[in-house]
Amino acid sequence: MNRVVLAIRSNLPDEMDWALQSLVRMSFENPDDLHFDRYPALAPALVEKLNSADQFRDIDTYSFHTNDGKVVTTDDDLGLFGATVATEKVRKQLDKVLEAALVLRNAAINPENARHLSRSQVCVGALVKCLTLPSDRPSLVELRQYCLDVVESVALFLRPTSSQDSLFRALAGYLSSDDRGVLISALRAIARLVINVEVNLLQAVDRRVVARICALILLDDEELLSVCLDFLYQYTAAPENIELTGEAVDWRELVQQLIRLLLYQAQEWPQKDARLISNMILEKKAPPSQPPDLPNDLVYELLSFPEPERATQWMRACFEEDPEGDVTQIALWKAYESRFEEYVKQGKKLLPAADFIKNVTTAFRRAAAMVVTLPGGQQKFIIKGIRPREVPMSLKGELYVKCQWSSTSPNLPRCTGAYPSIKDLFAHILAVHVPPPPTATLLQSQQSALQPALSATSSAPIPPLPSPTTNGKVGISPGPDAPETNGFPAQVSHPTATERYDNISMSDAPPLSPISASTTAEPVQDSTAAESATQPSPVPVVLQSSSEHDQQPVRYFCYWNGCNRFSPHGDTDRRTVISHIKTHIPDADHNKPLPHNSRSPPLQTTASGTLTLDTAILSQNVVLVSKSTMVDEHGEATGIPLTSCLILRNVARSDTGKRLLSGLETELIGVAAVNTPLRNYIADLLDVIEEKRRTIE
């Protein structure tokens, strides 16, 4: 290698030809063998040749004699009528410079060689000199491209201190180039040059240049699109740059294009028809065999009606029309009789069985009593056209919402409570299943009061009938003698249930305090509406010594429909668990008013979590579509979609971020729903938008 270096410095034509051709071949075939650190004199010898490029500034000018004897010089090639100023010797010298630049370019691909070149101010100066040569000289196009490639490699190791840096200004001059290759190299070099610099160099870039780069992302050119987005990411990293552009850049239009690019080249997962996958994850759900248990408040409302109106309202609350359904007459009568049997003893009269069966057609016009002959000759008396409801329906036509809290403990069976609204259900969950941790003093004072509720059984005495109110409805007075439902002490709906829900927020949740040395025992389940704020929650708690009290926090779990999100160790942050439970609760329109003969929503969820479809929906096409953009070898998002999302996050952090991204949250959520790799990044973007909105407000 020393022989090669000496041959380059000798300036002897034959020696230089041999040395440079050998280096070009070596840098192409075995670039890993070319280390500038091992041969300290090699890089300076090549840079010395590169530094002589200034002599080729006028290489493509031409001269000719006019009729009056004057000599005219021009950049235009006049063919036979002109004579080139450049001699053959000059062109051979240029070839040697090009070979030296090519060796530097190939060697700089190695990061160690790039770091070595970045330490040489002579090398950086030679690169600047080559990049500032006239851009309209055809003979210098190759040299310019080699130098841009070298700068692209060494830019990561350079630290310019101001926007007046000579190399930065030289690169910025190429951002207006119409040459695609030059523009891509310049954008990539600038993005790498400013990535590790704290000074805002890009504020010196002309606004019209920034607007042009924003317009280039509309082109269907992946490589050009990628480098433009890399530049815009570095440009928007400084929020003041967005304000500096003024009206030169239409940032709202850019935001729309960036949202479009979040699904750039997204691959769609195979589409599946519900009828084809019904045997895999979908199954038709069998109707309930028994009518639902009615909450006490609904029972009391029914008691205020005289017969036969009471029987009609009870059937509508517990059954629904189904052309394929049927219920035996004896089962229908027994269900009604057993539900109100306890009140018959207190003086209430029930509709006779024969009149009750005749009254079915009053409740359901399409239902009919008929006799079916079985294969053995026996006769079966049925009501054709109805079936039991999944959940009861109120007298206003609103479906109750079931609490599906299912404990894994054998001592605490599934909660069977049903509630008239989503708000009441949520208040019930907060009060009973995820109660706030009381202080040790409060626990000691309530321990004796909670004991009767924990030991209550289904043999509790039947309460007396409440007296009717002035509006014809029944007043409810909760007390210690309230009836039980399914083995759980029944609670009564209070107006405060809805009010409690309206006032609940994550910030209002009380702070946690340690109260036990082990996980909190599961609460006794409720079967009716939510408890009032003043009523103690029936939560069995084990009191510990003060030292244990200070060390072990309360742990919360989610047992909704068999959920094991926080199992087996639970979570000490009640707010986190409440946020998770909200994802289980149905939408607000789940129990919107329905006609008494309407069917329940067809899409249900079984106890095992398996999706079930009704017959009506199985006859339709249900398509499951998911889109996935580029990922790296670790499965993380990468490429154009990721860069677009990061630019949007930068824009959201600016002073005008709220105005630019206002109303676009729904689109972003839609992208996150189908594009799994970008889901976490879009979630961070939405957090920034929300934080910026709160800050401005």
Side-chain angles (χ1 to χ4, degrees), residues 506-544:
M506 297 307 299
S507 60
D508 296 333
L512 300 178
S513 59
I515 62 172
S516 68
S518 60
T519 57
T520 304
E522 298 182 34
V524 174
Q525 313 301 318
D526 202 351
S527 60
T528 59
E531 299 177 333
S532 65
T534 59
Q535 195 168 6
S537 301
V539 182
V541 180
V542 180
L543 295 179
Q544 305 291 344

Side-chain angles (χ1 to χ4, degrees), residues 36 43-44 46-54 57 97-98 100-109 113-134 140-158 165-172 174 189 193:
F36 291 153
L46 295 172
V47 171
E48 184 179 351
K49 297 300 298 181
L50 194 65
N51 210 14
S52 63
D54 192 48
R57 181 174 296 273
V97 174
L98 290 175
L102 178 57
V103 174
L104 287 172
R105 183 261 183 198
N106 291 343
I109 296 177
N113 289 336
R115 188 188 303 273
H116 181 90
L117 293 175
S118 67
R119 301 192 191 104
S120 173
Q121 292 298 324
V122 176
C123 177
V124 176
L127 292 173
V128 173
K129 184 180 294 185
C130 292
L131 292 176
T132 54
L133 292 174
L140 300 179
V141 171
E142 186 178 358
L143 177 62
R144 180 178 62 229
Q145 190 61 53
Y146 289 158
C147 291
L148 284 173
D149 291 344
V150 174
V151 172
E152 181 182 333
S153 298
V154 303
L156 284 173
F157 308 102
L158 297 175
D165 182 81
S166 58
L167 181 58
F168 175 77
R169 296 182 63 184
L171 292 173
Y174 286 104
L193 186 66

Side-chain angles (χ1 to χ4, degrees), residues 345-362:
K345 300 176 182 179
Q346 301 180 20
K348 284 290 181 179
K349 294 182 179 181
L350 298 183
L351 194 65
D355 296 336
F356 179 83
I357 298 301
K358 294 178 182 179
N359 194 52
V360 173
T361 55
T362 303

Side-chain angles (χ1 to χ4, degrees), residues 288 290-294 314 317-319 339 388-393 402:
Q290 299 291 334
D293 294 325
L294 298 184
W314 176 85
C318 297
F319 292 84
R339 189 62 191 87
R389 291 185 181 274
E390 291 281 348
V391 292
M393 187 174 71
K402 292 178 63 177

